[in-house]
């Protein structure tokens, strides 16, 4: 009786025989463009694509940032905000006493994280052509789950230092051994009838602040 293994070997033997006299494959070309976006368009393209993905985009400088974040939290009605380990303290210096700062606790349960209204983080990188934010669990971002459970995420992107035009430009700047989270707009999914539901796999509302240093 013929077995699946016998059939596989016969097929592979025919393939090897068919290509035995074939020339070596040419070396793959690597001189392709890594981006299609001029440098002077990168920031604007990022803002446009973030908005297309239904993220809310804000612009700020370092002086205005604390009051902007405080206003966004207050406008959301947030009573508690998650804080990564080394988020710059100045970023939250303007929030009122009515908002509790909850520091990232590795022992916190999903239920405890779900009770927090908002989270404020930095990012590792932003990609203009795809409107994508990349988080790598750095000290100003915290563990992945603190950006997935709360319903409101405020992410600060330092421009232009943390912005690249394309994915090929992003990859050499990212550490593949770190837990990378790629975010393109608020969490969303749809069923077979294309009814969109937001907030299923992460924050329902994503606000991005483009911070000019």
């Amino acid at each position: 009786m013929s077995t699946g293994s016998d059939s596989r070997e016969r097929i592979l033997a025919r393939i090897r025989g068919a290509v035995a006299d074939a020339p070596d494959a040419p070396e793959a070309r690597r001189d392709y463009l890594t981006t299609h976006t001029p440098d002077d368009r990168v920031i604007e393209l990022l803002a446009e694509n973030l908005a297309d993905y239904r993220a809310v985009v804000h612009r700020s400088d370092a002086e205005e940032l604390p009051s902007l974040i405080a206003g966004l939290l207050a406008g959301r009605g947030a009573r508690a905000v998650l804080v990564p380990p080394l988020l710059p303290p100045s970023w939250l210096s303007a929030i009122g006493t009515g908002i509790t700062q909850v520091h990232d606790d590795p022992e916190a349960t999903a239920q405890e994280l779900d009770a927090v209204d908002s989270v404020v983080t930095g990012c590792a990188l932003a990609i203009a052509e795809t409107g994508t934010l990349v988080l790598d669990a750095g000290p100003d971002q915290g563990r992945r789950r603190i950006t997935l459970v709360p319903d409101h995420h405020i992410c600060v992107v330092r421009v232009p230092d943390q912005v690249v035009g394309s994915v090929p430009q992003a990859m050499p700047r990212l550490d593949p051994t770190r837990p990378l989270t790629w975010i393109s707009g608020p969490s969303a999914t749809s069923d077979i009838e294309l009814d969109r539901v937001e907030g299923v796999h992460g924050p329902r509302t994503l606000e991005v602040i483009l911070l000019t240093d």
Side-chain angles (χ1 to χ4, degrees), residues 109-198:
T109 66
Q111 289 76 16
E112 289 171 332
L113 293 175
D114 190 44
V116 178
D117 303 295
S118 303
V119 59
V120 179
T121 74
C123 76
L125 213 59
I127 304 171
E129 291 178 0
T130 59
T132 302
L133 307 176
V134 185
L135 278 60
D136 66 358
D140 64 346
Q141 301 153 51
R143 294 169 304 130
R144 174 180 285 163
R145 68 177 186 160
I146 74 169
T147 60
L148 296 179
V149 180
D151 202 42
H152 177 221
H153 182 190
I154 299 173
C155 184
V156 179
V157 181
R158 294 180 172 91
V159 297
D161 294 346
Q162 289 186 319
V163 182
V164 295
S166 66
V167 173
Q169 289 179 329
M171 297 307 294
R173 293 182 53 173
L174 296 170
D175 182 351
T177 66
R178 297 189 65 82
L180 301 177
T181 303
W182 299 65
I183 303 170
S184 296
S187 166
T189 189
S190 62
D191 59 19
I192 195 170
E193 296 179 351
L194 301 181
D195 291 327
R196 179 183 172 101
V197 179
E198 296 182 349

Coordinates of all heavy atoms in Angstrom, one line a residue, residues 109-198:
T109 N -5.0 42.8 37.9 CA -5.9 41.9 37.1 C -6.5 42.6 35.9 O -6.5 43.9 35.9 CB -7.0 41.3 38.0 OG1 -7.9 42.3 38.4 CG2 -6.4 40.6 39.2
A110 N -7.0 41.9 35.0 CA -7.7 42.5 33.9 C -8.9 43.3 34.3 O -9.2 44.4 33.8 CB -8.2 41.4 32.9
Q111 N -9.6 42.8 35.4 CA -10.7 43.5 35.9 C -10.3 44.9 36.5 O -11.0 45.9 36.4 CB -11.4 42.7 37.0 CG -12.2 41.5 36.4 CD -11.3 40.3 36.0 OE1 -10.1 40.3 36.4 NE2 -11.8 39.4 35.3
E112 N -9.2 44.9 37.2 CA -8.7 46.1 37.8 C -8.3 47.1 36.7 O -8.5 48.3 36.8 CB -7.5 45.8 38.7 CG -7.9 45.1 40.0 CD -6.7 44.6 40.8 OE1 -5.6 44.3 40.2 OE2 -6.8 44.5 42.0
L113 N -7.6 46.6 35.6 CA -7.3 47.5 34.5 C -8.5 48.0 33.8 O -8.5 49.2 33.4 CB -6.4 46.7 33.5 CG -5.0 46.3 34.0 CD1 -4.3 45.5 32.9 CD2 -4.1 47.5 34.4
D114 N -9.5 47.2 33.7 CA -10.7 47.6 33.1 C -11.5 48.7 33.8 O -12.2 49.5 33.2 CB -11.7 46.4 32.9 CG -12.8 46.7 32.0 OD1 -12.6 47.3 30.9 OD2 -14.0 46.3 32.3
A115 N -11.2 48.8 35.1 CA -11.8 49.9 35.9 C -11.1 51.2 35.7 O -11.7 52.3 36.2 CB -11.8 49.5 37.4
V116 N -10.0 51.3 35.0 CA -9.3 52.5 34.8 C -9.8 53.1 33.4 O -10.0 52.4 32.5 CB -7.8 52.3 34.7 CG1 -7.0 53.6 34.3 CG2 -7.2 51.7 36.0
D117 N -10.1 54.4 33.4 CA -10.7 55.0 32.3 C -9.8 55.2 31.1 O -10.2 55.1 30.0 CB -11.3 56.4 32.7 CG -12.3 56.2 33.8 OD1 -13.3 55.6 33.6 OD2 -12.0 56.7 34.9
S118 N -8.5 55.7 31.4 CA -7.6 56.1 30.3 C -6.2 55.6 30.6 O -5.9 55.3 31.8 CB -7.7 57.6 30.2 OG -9.0 58.1 30.0
V119 N -5.4 55.7 29.6 CA -4.0 55.4 29.7 C -3.2 56.4 28.9 O -3.7 56.8 27.8 CB -3.6 54.0 29.3 CG1 -4.0 53.7 27.9 CG2 -2.1 53.7 29.5
V120 N -2.1 56.9 29.4 CA -1.3 57.9 28.6 C 0.1 57.2 28.4 O 0.7 56.7 29.4 CB -1.1 59.2 29.4 CG1 -0.2 60.1 28.6 CG2 -2.4 59.9 29.6
T121 N 0.6 57.2 27.2 CA 1.9 56.6 26.9 C 2.6 57.4 25.9 O 2.1 58.2 25.2 CB 1.7 55.1 26.3 OG1 1.3 55.2 25.0 CG2 0.8 54.3 27.1
G122 N 3.9 57.1 25.8 CA 4.7 57.5 24.6 C 4.6 56.4 23.6 O 3.7 55.5 23.6
C123 N 5.5 56.4 22.6 CA 5.6 55.3 21.6 C 7.0 55.1 21.2 O 7.9 55.8 21.6 CB 4.7 55.6 20.4 SG 5.4 56.8 19.3
A124 N 7.2 54.0 20.5 CA 8.6 53.7 20.0 C 8.8 54.3 18.6 O 9.9 54.8 18.4 CB 8.8 52.2 19.9
L125 N 7.7 54.4 17.8 CA 7.9 54.8 16.5 C 6.5 55.1 15.9 O 5.5 54.4 16.3 CB 8.6 53.8 15.6 CG 9.5 54.3 14.5 CD1 10.6 55.2 15.0 CD2 10.1 53.1 13.8
A126 N 6.4 55.9 14.9 CA 5.1 56.1 14.1 C 5.5 56.0 12.6 O 6.5 56.5 12.2 CB 4.5 57.4 14.4
I127 N 4.6 55.4 11.9 CA 4.8 55.2 10.4 C 3.8 56.0 9.6 O 2.6 55.7 9.7 CB 4.8 53.7 10.1 CG1 5.7 52.9 11.0 CG2 5.1 53.4 8.6 CD1 5.6 51.4 10.9
A128 N 4.3 56.9 8.8 CA 3.4 57.8 8.1 C 2.5 57.1 7.1 O 1.3 57.4 7.0 CB 4.2 59.0 7.5
E129 N 3.1 56.3 6.2 CA 2.4 55.8 5.1 C 1.3 54.8 5.5 O 0.4 54.6 4.7 CB 3.4 55.1 4.1 CG 4.3 56.0 3.4 CD 5.3 55.4 2.5 OE1 5.3 54.1 2.4 OE2 6.1 56.1 1.9
T130 N 1.4 54.2 6.7 CA 0.3 53.3 7.1 C -0.5 53.9 8.3 O -1.4 53.2 8.7 CB 1.0 52.0 7.5 OG1 1.9 52.2 8.6 CG2 1.7 51.3 6.4
G131 N -0.1 55.0 8.8 CA -0.8 55.6 9.9 C -0.7 54.7 11.2 O -1.7 54.6 11.9
T132 N 0.5 54.2 11.4 CA 0.6 53.2 12.4 C 1.5 53.7 13.6 O 2.6 54.3 13.3 CB 1.3 51.9 11.8 OG1 0.4 51.4 10.8 CG2 1.5 50.8 12.9
L133 N 1.1 53.4 14.8 CA 1.9 53.6 16.0 C 2.5 52.3 16.4 O 1.8 51.3 16.4 CB 1.1 54.2 17.1 CG 0.3 55.4 16.8 CD1 -0.6 55.8 18.0 CD2 1.1 56.6 16.4
V134 N 3.8 52.3 16.8 CA 4.4 51.1 17.2 C 4.9 51.3 18.7 O 5.6 52.2 19.0 CB 5.7 50.7 16.4 CG1 6.2 49.3 16.8 CG2 5.3 50.6 14.9
L135 N 4.4 50.4 19.6 CA 4.8 50.4 21.0 C 5.7 49.2 21.2 O 5.4 48.1 20.6 CB 3.6 50.3 21.9 CG 2.9 51.7 22.2 CD1 2.3 52.3 20.9 CD2 1.7 51.4 23.2
D136 N 6.7 49.3 22.0 CA 7.6 48.2 22.3 C 7.8 47.9 23.8 O 8.8 47.4 24.2 CB 9.0 48.4 21.6 CG 9.8 49.6 22.2 OD1 9.3 50.3 23.1 OD2 10.9 49.8 21.8
A137 N 6.8 48.4 24.6 CA 6.9 48.1 26.0 C 8.1 48.9 26.7 O 8.6 48.5 27.7 CB 6.9 46.7 26.4
G138 N 8.5 50.0 26.1 CA 9.5 50.8 26.7 C 9.0 51.5 27.9 O 7.8 51.4 28.3
P139 N 9.9 52.1 28.7 CA 9.5 52.6 30.0 C 8.5 53.7 30.0 O 7.8 53.9 31.0 CB 10.8 53.1 30.6 CG 11.8 53.3 29.4 CD 11.3 52.3 28.4
D140 N 8.3 54.4 28.9 CA 7.2 55.4 28.8 C 6.0 54.9 28.2 O 5.0 55.6 27.9 CB 7.7 56.7 28.1 CG 8.0 56.4 26.6 OD1 8.1 55.2 26.2 OD2 8.1 57.4 25.8
Q141 N 6.0 53.5 27.9 CA 4.8 52.9 27.3 C 4.2 51.8 28.2 O 3.0 51.6 28.2 CB 5.2 52.2 26.0 CG 5.8 53.2 25.0 CD 6.8 52.6 24.0 OE1 6.4 51.6 23.4 NE2 8.0 53.1 23.9
G142 N 5.0 51.1 29.0 CA 4.6 50.1 29.9 C 4.3 48.8 29.2 O 4.5 48.7 28.0
R143 N 3.7 47.8 29.9 CA 3.4 46.5 29.4 C 2.3 46.6 28.4 O 1.4 47.5 28.4 CB 3.1 45.6 30.5 CG 4.2 45.3 31.4 CD 3.8 44.5 32.7 NE 2.8 45.3 33.4 CZ 1.6 44.8 33.8 NH1 1.3 43.5 33.5 NH2 0.7 45.5 34.4
R144 N 2.3 45.7 27.5 CA 1.3 45.7 26.4 C -0.2 45.8 26.9 O -1.0 46.5 26.3 CB 1.5 44.4 25.5 CG 0.4 44.3 24.4 CD 0.7 43.0 23.6 NE 1.8 43.2 22.7 CZ 2.4 42.2 22.1 NH1 2.0 40.9 22.4 NH2 3.4 42.4 21.3
R145 N -0.5 45.0 27.9 CA -1.9 45.0 28.3 C -2.4 46.3 28.9 O -3.7 46.5 28.8 CB -2.1 43.8 29.3 CG -1.5 44.0 30.7 CD -1.9 42.8 31.5 NE -1.5 43.0 32.9 CZ -2.0 42.3 33.9 NH1 -3.0 41.5 33.7 NH2 -1.5 42.5 35.1
I146 N -1.6 47.2 29.4 CA -2.1 48.4 29.9 C -2.6 49.3 28.8 O -3.4 50.3 29.0 CB -1.2 49.2 30.8 CG1 0.0 49.8 30.0 CG2 -0.6 48.3 31.9 CD1 0.8 50.8 30.8
T147 N -2.2 49.0 27.5 CA -2.7 49.8 26.4 C -3.8 49.1 25.6 O -4.3 49.6 24.6 CB -1.6 50.2 25.4 OG1 -1.0 48.9 24.9 CG2 -0.5 51.0 26.1
L148 N -4.2 47.9 26.1 CA -5.2 47.1 25.4 C -6.5 47.1 26.2 O -7.6 47.0 25.6 CB -4.8 45.7 25.2 CG -3.6 45.5 24.2 CD1 -3.2 44.0 24.1 CD2 -3.9 46.1 22.9
V149 N -6.5 47.2 27.5 CA -7.7 47.1 28.4 C -8.4 48.4 28.6 O -9.6 48.4 28.3 CB -7.3 46.4 29.7 CG1 -8.6 46.2 30.5 CG2 -6.7 45.0 29.5
P150 N -7.8 49.5 29.0 CA -8.6 50.7 29.1 C -9.2 51.2 27.8 O -8.7 50.9 26.7 CB -7.5 51.7 29.6 CG -6.4 50.9 30.3 CD -6.4 49.6 29.4
D151 N -10.3 51.9 27.9 CA -11.1 52.2 26.8 C -10.6 53.5 26.0 O -11.1 53.7 24.9 CB -12.6 52.4 27.2 CG -13.5 52.2 26.0 OD1 -13.3 51.3 25.2 OD2 -14.5 53.0 25.9
H152 N -9.7 54.2 26.6 CA -9.2 55.5 26.1 C -7.7 55.5 26.2 O -7.1 55.4 27.3 CB -9.8 56.6 26.9 CG -9.4 58.0 26.5 ND1 -9.1 59.0 27.4 CD2 -9.2 58.5 25.2 CE1 -8.8 60.1 26.7 NE2 -8.8 59.8 25.4
H153 N -7.0 55.7 25.0 CA -5.6 55.7 25.0 C -5.1 57.0 24.4 O -5.5 57.4 23.3 CB -5.1 54.5 24.1 CG -3.6 54.4 24.0 ND1 -2.9 53.6 23.1 CD2 -2.6 55.1 24.7 CE1 -1.6 53.7 23.2 NE2 -1.4 54.6 24.2
I154 N -4.3 57.7 25.2 CA -3.6 58.9 24.7 C -2.2 58.6 24.4 O -1.5 58.2 25.3 CB -3.7 60.1 25.7 CG1 -5.2 60.5 25.9 CG2 -2.9 61.3 25.2 CD1 -5.3 61.5 27.0
C155 N -1.7 58.7 23.2 CA -0.4 58.3 22.8 C 0.4 59.6 22.3 O -0.1 60.3 21.4 CB -0.4 57.3 21.7 SG 1.3 56.7 21.3
V156 N 1.5 59.8 22.9 CA 2.3 61.0 22.5 C 3.4 60.6 21.6 O 4.2 59.7 21.9 CB 2.9 61.7 23.8 CG1 3.8 62.9 23.4 CG2 1.8 62.1 24.7
V157 N 3.5 61.2 20.4 CA 4.6 60.9 19.4 C 5.4 62.2 19.3 O 5.0 63.2 19.0 CB 3.9 60.6 18.1 CG1 5.0 60.3 17.0 CG2 2.9 59.4 18.2
R158 N 6.7 62.0 19.5 CA 7.7 63.1 19.4 C 8.0 63.2 17.9 O 8.5 62.3 17.3 CB 8.9 62.8 20.2 CG 8.7 62.8 21.7 CD 10.0 62.5 22.4 NE 9.9 62.7 23.9 CZ 9.6 61.7 24.7 NH1 9.4 60.5 24.2 NH2 9.6 61.9 26.0
V159 N 7.7 64.4 17.4 CA 8.0 64.7 16.0 C 9.1 65.7 15.8 O 9.2 66.7 16.6 CB 6.7 65.1 15.2 CG1 5.7 64.1 15.3 CG2 6.2 66.4 15.8
P160 N 10.0 65.5 14.9 CA 10.0 64.5 13.8 C 10.8 63.2 14.2 O 10.8 62.2 13.5 CB 10.7 65.2 12.7 CG 11.7 66.0 13.3 CD 11.1 66.5 14.6
D161 N 11.4 63.2 15.4 CA 12.4 62.1 15.8 C 11.8 60.7 15.7 O 12.5 59.7 15.4 CB 13.0 62.4 17.1 CG 13.9 63.6 17.2 OD1 14.2 64.1 16.1 OD2 14.2 64.1 18.3
Q162 N 10.5 60.6 16.1 CA 9.9 59.3 16.2 C 9.0 58.9 15.0 O 8.3 57.9 15.0 CB 9.1 59.1 17.5 CG 9.9 59.1 18.7 CD 9.0 58.8 20.0 OE1 7.9 59.4 20.1 NE2 9.5 58.0 20.9
V163 N 9.1 59.6 13.9 CA 8.3 59.4 12.7 C 9.2 59.0 11.5 O 10.2 59.7 11.2 CB 7.5 60.7 12.4 CG1 6.6 60.4 11.2 CG2 6.7 61.1 13.6
V164 N 8.8 57.9 10.9 CA 9.4 57.5 9.6 C 8.3 57.4 8.6 O 7.1 57.4 8.8 CB 10.1 56.1 9.8 CG1 11.2 56.2 10.8 CG2 9.1 55.0 10.2
G165 N 8.8 57.4 7.3 CA 7.8 57.4 6.2 C 7.2 56.0 6.0 O 6.0 56.0 5.7
S166 N 7.9 54.9 6.2 CA 7.4 53.6 5.7 C 7.8 52.5 6.6 O 8.7 52.6 7.5 CB 8.0 53.3 4.3 OG 9.4 53.1 4.4
V167 N 7.2 51.3 6.4 CA 7.5 50.1 7.2 C 9.0 49.7 7.0 O 9.7 49.4 7.9 CB 6.6 49.0 6.9 CG1 7.0 47.7 7.5 CG2 5.2 49.3 7.3
P168 N 9.5 49.7 5.7 CA 10.9 49.4 5.5 C 11.9 50.3 6.3 O 12.9 49.9 6.7 CB 11.1 49.5 4.0 CG 9.8 49.2 3.4 CD 8.8 49.8 4.4
Q169 N 11.5 51.6 6.5 CA 12.3 52.5 7.2 C 12.2 52.2 8.7 O 13.1 52.5 9.5 CB 12.0 53.9 6.9 CG 12.4 54.4 5.5 CD 12.0 55.8 5.3 OE1 11.0 56.3 5.8 NE2 12.7 56.5 4.5
A170 N 11.0 51.7 9.1 CA 10.8 51.4 10.6 C 11.6 50.2 11.1 O 12.1 50.2 12.2 CB 9.3 51.3 10.8
M171 N 11.6 49.2 10.3 CA 12.1 47.9 10.8 C 13.5 48.0 11.3 O 13.8 47.4 12.4 CB 12.0 46.8 9.7 CG 10.6 46.5 9.2 SD 9.5 46.1 10.6 CE 10.2 44.6 11.1
P172 N 14.5 48.6 10.7 CA 15.8 48.7 11.3 C 15.9 49.4 12.6 O 16.8 49.3 13.4 CB 16.7 49.4 10.2 CG 15.9 49.3 8.9 CD 14.5 49.3 9.4
R173 N 14.9 50.2 12.9 CA 14.9 51.0 14.1 C 14.2 50.3 15.3 O 14.1 50.8 16.4 CB 14.2 52.4 13.9 CG 15.1 53.3 13.0 CD 14.5 54.6 12.8 NE 14.1 55.3 14.0 CZ 13.7 56.6 14.1 NH1 13.5 57.3 13.0 NH2 13.4 57.2 15.2
L174 N 13.6 49.1 15.0 CA 12.8 48.4 16.0 C 13.6 47.2 16.4 O 14.3 46.5 15.6 CB 11.5 48.0 15.5 CG 10.5 49.2 15.2 CD1 9.3 48.7 14.4 CD2 10.1 49.9 16.4
D175 N 13.5 46.8 17.7 CA 14.1 45.6 18.2 C 13.2 44.4 18.1 O 12.2 44.4 18.9 CB 14.5 45.9 19.7 CG 15.3 44.7 20.3 OD1 15.3 43.6 19.7 OD2 15.8 44.9 21.4
P176 N 13.4 43.4 17.3 CA 12.5 42.3 17.1 C 12.4 41.4 18.3 O 11.4 40.6 18.4 CB 13.1 41.6 15.9 CG 14.5 41.9 15.9 CD 14.6 43.3 16.4
T177 N 13.2 41.6 19.3 CA 13.1 40.8 20.5 C 12.2 41.4 21.6 O 11.9 40.8 22.6 CB 14.5 40.6 21.2 OG1 15.0 41.8 21.7 CG2 15.5 40.0 20.2
R178 N 11.7 42.6 21.3 CA 10.8 43.3 22.2 C 9.4 43.0 21.8 O 9.1 42.7 20.6 CB 11.1 44.8 22.3 CG 12.5 45.2 22.8 CD 12.6 46.7 23.0 NE 11.7 47.1 24.1 CZ 12.0 47.0 25.3 NH1 13.1 46.5 25.7 NH2 11.1 47.5 26.2
P179 N 8.4 43.1 22.7 CA 7.0 42.8 22.4 C 6.4 44.0 21.7 O 5.9 45.0 22.3 CB 6.4 42.6 23.8 CG 7.2 43.4 24.7 CD 8.6 43.4 24.2
L180 N 6.4 43.9 20.4 CA 5.9 45.1 19.5 C 4.4 45.0 19.3 O 3.8 44.0 19.0 CB 6.6 45.0 18.2 CG 8.1 45.1 18.1 CD1 8.7 45.0 16.7 CD2 8.6 46.4 18.8
T181 N 3.8 46.2 19.6 CA 2.4 46.3 19.3 C 2.2 47.4 18.2 O 2.6 48.5 18.4 CB 1.6 46.8 20.6 OG1 1.9 45.8 21.6 CG2 0.1 46.9 20.3
W182 N 1.5 47.0 17.1 CA 1.3 47.9 16.0 C -0.1 48.3 16.0 O -1.1 47.5 16.0 CB 1.6 47.1 14.7 CG 3.0 46.6 14.6 CD1 3.6 45.7 15.4 CD2 4.0 47.1 13.7 NE1 5.0 45.5 15.0 CE2 5.2 46.3 13.9 CE3 4.0 48.0 12.6 CZ2 6.4 46.5 13.2 CZ3 5.2 48.1 11.9 CH2 6.3 47.4 12.2
I183 N -0.3 49.6 16.1 CA -1.7 50.2 16.3 C -2.0 51.1 15.1 O -1.3 52.1 14.9 CB -1.7 51.0 17.6 CG1 -1.4 50.1 18.8 CG2 -3.1 51.6 17.8 CD1 -1.2 50.9 20.1
S184 N -3.0 50.8 14.4 CA -3.5 51.6 13.3 C -5.0 52.0 13.6 O -5.9 51.3 13.2 CB -3.4 50.9 11.9 OG -2.1 50.6 11.6
G185 N -5.1 53.1 14.4 CA -6.5 53.5 14.8 C -7.0 52.8 16.0 O -6.4 51.9 16.5
P186 N -8.2 53.2 16.4 CA -8.8 52.5 17.5 C -9.1 51.0 17.2 O -9.2 50.7 16.0 CB -10.2 53.2 17.7 CG -10.0 54.5 16.9 CD -9.0 54.2 15.8
S187 N -9.2 50.2 18.2 CA -9.5 48.8 18.0 C -10.9 48.7 17.3 O -11.8 49.3 17.7 CB -9.6 48.1 19.3 OG -10.2 46.8 19.2
A188 N -10.9 47.8 16.2 CA -12.2 47.7 15.5 C -12.2 46.3 14.8 O -11.2 45.8 14.5 CB -12.3 48.8 14.5
T189 N -13.4 45.8 14.6 CA -13.7 44.6 13.9 C -15.0 44.7 13.2 O -15.8 45.6 13.5 CB -13.6 43.4 14.8 OG1 -13.6 42.2 14.0 CG2 -14.7 43.3 15.8
S190 N -15.3 43.8 12.3 CA -16.6 43.8 11.7 C -17.0 42.4 11.4 O -16.2 41.5 11.2 CB -16.6 44.6 10.4 OG -15.7 44.1 9.5
D191 N -18.3 42.1 11.3 CA -18.8 40.8 11.0 C -19.0 40.6 9.5 O -18.6 41.5 8.7 CB -20.1 40.5 11.8 CG -21.2 41.5 11.4 OD1 -21.1 42.2 10.3 OD2 -22.2 41.7 12.2
I192 N -19.6 39.5 9.1 CA -19.7 39.2 7.7 C -20.5 40.2 7.0 O -20.4 40.4 5.7 CB -20.3 37.8 7.5 CG1 -20.0 37.3 6.1 CG2 -21.8 37.7 7.9 CD1 -20.4 35.8 5.9
E193 N -21.4 40.9 7.7 CA -22.2 42.0 7.0 C -21.5 43.3 7.1 O -22.1 44.4 6.8 CB -23.6 42.0 7.7 CG -24.4 40.8 7.5 CD -25.7 40.8 8.2 OE1 -26.0 41.8 9.0 OE2 -26.5 39.9 8.0
L194 N -20.3 43.4 7.5 CA -19.4 44.6 7.6 C -20.0 45.6 8.6 O -19.7 46.8 8.4 CB -19.3 45.2 6.2 CG -18.6 44.3 5.1 CD1 -18.5 45.0 3.8 CD2 -17.3 43.7 5.6
D195 N -20.6 45.2 9.6 CA -21.0 46.1 10.7 C -19.9 46.3 11.6 O -19.4 45.3 12.2 CB -22.2 45.5 11.5 CG -23.5 45.4 10.7 OD1 -23.7 46.3 9.8 OD2 -24.3 44.5 10.9
R196 N -19.4 47.5 11.7 CA -18.1 47.8 12.4 C -18.4 48.0 13.9 O -19.4 48.6 14.3 CB -17.5 49.1 11.8 CG -16.3 49.6 12.6 CD -15.8 50.9 12.0 NE -14.7 51.5 12.7 CZ -13.4 51.5 12.3 NH1 -13.1 50.8 11.2 NH2 -12.5 52.1 13.1
V197 N -17.6 47.3 14.7 CA -17.7 47.4 16.2 C -16.3 47.8 16.7 O -15.3 47.2 16.4 CB -18.1 46.1 16.8 CG1 -18.2 46.2 18.3 CG2 -19.5 45.7 16.2
E198 N -16.3 48.9 17.5 CA -15.0 49.4 18.0 C -14.9 49.0 19.4 O -15.8 48.9 20.2 CB -14.9 50.9 17.8 CG -14.9 51.3 16.3 CD -14.8 52.8 16.1 OE1 -14.9 53.6 17.1 OE2 -14.6 53.2 14.9

